[in-house]
Amino acid sequence: FKTNFTEMQKIVASISEGDLKPVLLWTQTHRTRLATIGSSLEFKIHKKQFISFVLQKKSQEAIEYARKNFVPFGFSHKNGLFGSDLLS
């Protein structure tokens, strides 16, 4: 992965502030490479965002988010979507 230190610092800071957009953009940009190493990082970040909507009682946003973002992961991460580890 060719990501400079400054970019990573910004991503970490945004995560600390509850903003997952920069890390999602990074995972989408590096999706192929992440897949070759068997990483589920992108799925986990999407799951975290989904759970955030649920905990904030934003049901409609959670449903729309899930429909838009979980489709590519449906088969490969079905246990993470429907299994007991949803909140882990």
Side-chain angles (χ1 to χ4, degrees):
F1 301 105
K2 293 191 177 185
T3 305
N4 66 41
F5 184 72
T6 304
E7 182 183 2
M8 278 296 143
Q9 281 184 312
K10 290 178 183 177
I11 290 171
V12 170
S14 69
I15 293 170
S16 297
E17 296 167 1
D19 180 9
L20 299 178
K21 290 177 188 173
V23 71
L24 280 170
L25 179 60
W26 186 90
T27 60
Q28 291 164 353
T29 301
H30 297 88
R31 181 178 286 156
T32 303
R33 177 78 170 119
L34 289 168
T36 62
I37 63 170
S39 174
S40 60
L41 180 61
E42 184 179 2
F43 170 76
K44 289 178 179 180
I45 300 297
H46 280 299
K47 185 170 82 168
K48 182 168 177 46
Q49 182 63 59
F50 170 78
I51 291 170
S52 175
F53 285 133
V54 171
L55 293 175
Q56 294 174 42
K57 306 213 183 301
K58 295 181 177 180
S59 332
Q60 191 59 40
E61 289 94 332
I63 291 167
E64 291 171 12
Y65 191 86
R67 286 181 178 153
K68 179 181 177 187
N69 295 289
F70 287 145
V71 172
F73 304 104
F75 184 74
S76 62
H77 290 84
K78 65 183 177 194
N79 290 336
L81 288 172
F82 306 111
S84 61
D85 70 336
L86 180 61
L87 294 174
S88 64

